[in-house]
Amino acid sequence: MVVILRIVCIVLLLYQLVLFSSTLRDISDAGHNTAGIQVCSALSAVFLLFFDFFANFRFISSSVLLWAASLSAMAYIGFYFFLVRFVLLLIQIDQKRINLISLCLAVLTAAVGILFITNPVTLWVFTVRYDPVAGTKVLLFFKGIPFFIYIIYCITVLAICILMLVAKCIQNAFRYSSRYIYMIFITLATSTGGFLIIRLTQVEKFWFVQPDIMLFLSILMYYLVYKYRPRFSLVGLRMGIFNSLSVPVILFDTHDMLVDYNNTARILFRLDRKMYGNMTISGFLSSKLSGQIRRRSAETTAEVTIDTDSGSRVFKLDYICLNSNKDRIHGTLLQFSDITELKQMYNIMKQTAMTDRLTGLASRMMLDRKISEINLYRKYPYCAAACSINGLQFIKNGFGEAAYDMVLVKFATILKQRLRTEDFAACDDDIIIVLLPDLQEDAASGIFGQINGTLQRESILPFRVTIEYKVVSRPNPDVPMQEIVDSARNGMMRKLLLSNSEVNKELVLSLSKALSDTGRETKEHEARVEELAARLGKVLGLTGEQMQNLNTLAKFHDIGKQTVPAGILAKRQNNLTEKELEQKKLHSVAGYRLACSVPDLEPVATDILCHHERWDGKGYPNGFKGEKIPYLARIFAVVDAFDALTHDRVDYKAVSEKNALETVLRGAGKQFDPQIVKTFVLLFSD
């Protein structure tokens, strides 16, 4: 028995040395204290092994054995010192308090250590006696005052450690206290080992188990620091997580029988413990999901709708197969994730993708699907119509995005009112494609003729809005519907191109008339500047083409004012806010964009843009200076200013021709081209 224990002790001692080499790599306070515990336990074991081995030889003096026992006891006391420091670190006491307690403990340890270092001389704690029967020397304790000092020291250290660890366990949840419970066991075992040797020496046997206890506990201490895993708390912790999940989770065993569920699943599906072992996956799916899924699906996910206290909710059902590291199946987990909000968002996005945002008609994607459906089911008879608003680009350029959107929306509204339930309409950029089943080409054309008439009667803009359309019928079910749609689209585009010039010209004339009708410009002003510009142009020696362009400029120079609110035009210049003034100045830009959309006005588009520029570069909208301003714009600027001065306006009263000429002369080289002013003045001197 003794031999076996000594072999175990030597093996543990060698293993302790291996662990100590690993501990040296740790430079933390916990590593330092663990290394101290290992060193003290190893020294205590070595000296006790020395005592145990040489106690069998008579020639070894009792003094040598006493020194071995004393050094072993001192190492044991050092073991206590590092044990307390480790406990203080474990319960996370602040460093300042740890240093203070360590100082007090070091003084106490040194005082007790003096008892043992002087013991071989004084013999006031223990002694060595020869046993003639066994032929060996044994260790005996003297229960005097020094002995009780040692006992009080051990009990004090033990009480400090145990109380601190118990207090830490109370502060934490039980599942997180395993580390501290583990440490309480080590502390108790250490103290118990110290008292055990005292008790066993009284019967003069088994005192030699102390080295094994010391080494074993120090190895446990090492694993507590470096290899600790809260395995005992994981089961409870996992169950706590399982029950606190906000998503319903239901567990079935390898035979697909119900074995567990969390609180959320219990409330949602009204489960109870009686169902354990009595309900299969198939039974659960068919009974609790209203027959949406009657048996286990081969897919890993499914989508179900469940009635809850807050209404119907959409859940994603996941089938999760529980496998171990060795690929053994332990059961199936059903997890329900609430995707109601995500589903609603998806439906909104899907609806957005299926519907044109502006008109509310179907999108291009839905048009392609509809064409594929017609081809798949060979639907016949069928008509395809392509339609678009005449002068749409003109409207966008001259009146802006708001007017463009308004016209399209109005057209789509009228279209939806006239179409039947079975008809299909989709918006593809500026073109609207309509598919009409069970309808001949003439009847379909009649519908669009009526839509065109209704649109013209609507007062959307200051001119008539019309559409261009082309209807093509499907001759037989074998002709792909896409060809019919393309044919209608191409036919409509050809008609649009042919009528575009005339339509835009009509729009410009309507716009010019609207300017006069609303008081933004008068026919008299238009006639006067035309006549005056013609006289000046003739004197300046303009060509026939230049004269024609100057006449067009005089007629349509303020066409962009139609885009400016009437309230701004009615105000005096001095009463306009900065924002209103900027908006008013943009009329020349709007006029330029409108002119660019009409072939007849395109030659004077730049002149319309620049007719408010000044010779000194202080005009608008671009601040052009000198000869950078187009020639016709410079001519018209003089004519327009003179007519404005000699006739009443919102801003000021009319002046005489003489005063107006003087004003124009003062503007030469500043507002006007000096040469043109000189010629203009000569025109009146004649």
Side-chain angles (χ1 to χ4, degrees), residues 216-233:
F216 177 69
L217 291 176
S218 63
I219 290 172
L220 285 179
M221 188 70 70
Y222 173 85
Y223 274 91
L224 178 65
V225 178
Y226 300 101
K227 306 293 182 181
Y228 172 76
R229 297 290 183 275
R231 299 182 185 278
F232 298 106
S233 67

Side-chain angles (χ1 to χ4, degrees), residues 342-366:
L342 289 175
K343 190 71 176 177
Q344 291 173 350
M345 188 180 300
Y346 168 78
N347 290 335
I348 293 172
M349 293 175 65
K350 183 179 178 182
Q351 185 65 28
T352 302
M354 293 169 57
T355 307
D356 180 68
R357 178 191 60 83
L358 180 62
T359 62
L361 301 175
S363 64
R364 174 59 188 267
M365 181 183 72
M366 292 304 297

Side-chain angles (χ1 to χ4, degrees), residues 4 68 70 113 118 181 210 227 254 282 299 306 434 477 492 511 585 653:
I4 294 174
S70 297
T118 59
I181 295 171
Q210 180 72 8
K227 306 293 182 181
T254 53
S282 298
E299 302 293 332
I306 301 173
V434 183
M492 187 275 300
L511 198 57
K585 288 181 178 180
K653 293 290 184 178

Side-chain angles (χ1 to χ4, degrees), residues 18 31 61 67 82 101-102 137 160 165 211 214 220 231 295 302 323 371 377 389 430 501 510 532 555 596 609 619 644:
V18 174
S61 66
W67 274 107
F82 289 106
I101 295 173
S102 298
K137 296 180 179 68
I160 291 173
L165 290 168
M214 294 291 293
L220 285 179
R231 299 182 185 278
R295 58 185 180 84
N323 296 328
I371 291 172
Y377 295 103
I389 296 174
D430 295 341
S501 177
S510 299
L532 194 56
K555 190 172 184 177
C596 288
L609 177 68

Side-chain angles (χ1 to χ4, degrees), residues 625-644:
K625 184 177 181 180
E627 294 185 357
K628 192 174 181 180
I629 304 170
Y631 188 51
L632 295 184
R634 282 181 272 155
I635 295 172
F636 182 75
V638 176
V639 172
D640 190 42
F642 180 80
D643 185 75

Side-chain angles (χ1 to χ4, degrees), residues 310-326:
S310 59
S312 292
R313 309 285 294 179
V314 181
F315 288 82
K316 185 185 76 164
L317 168 59
D318 291 293
Y319 295 90
I320 303 173
C321 187
L322 303 178
N323 296 328
S324 65
N325 294 333
K326 297 181 180 179

Side-chain angles (χ1 to χ4, degrees), residues 375-425:
N375 290 332
L376 179 64
Y377 295 103
R378 296 171 58 83
K379 294 184 177 180
Y380 177 82
Y382 238 100
C383 283
C387 49
S388 182
I389 296 174
N390 282 312
L392 194 58
Q393 193 62 37
F394 176 87
I395 295 171
K396 186 175 184 180
N397 290 340
F399 293 87
E401 293 284 347
Y404 170 86
D405 293 346
M406 181 175 63
V407 171
L408 273 179
V409 169
K410 190 62 178 180
F411 174 42
T413 303
I414 296 172
L415 180 66
K416 285 185 281 189
Q417 292 172 351
R418 296 295 301 173
L419 293 180
R420 303 167 299 171
T421 307
E422 61 270 25
D423 296 334
F424 176 88

Side-chain angles (χ1 to χ4, degrees), residues 79 93 241 308 314:
F79 182 95
I93 299 293
I241 295 172
T308 66
V314 181

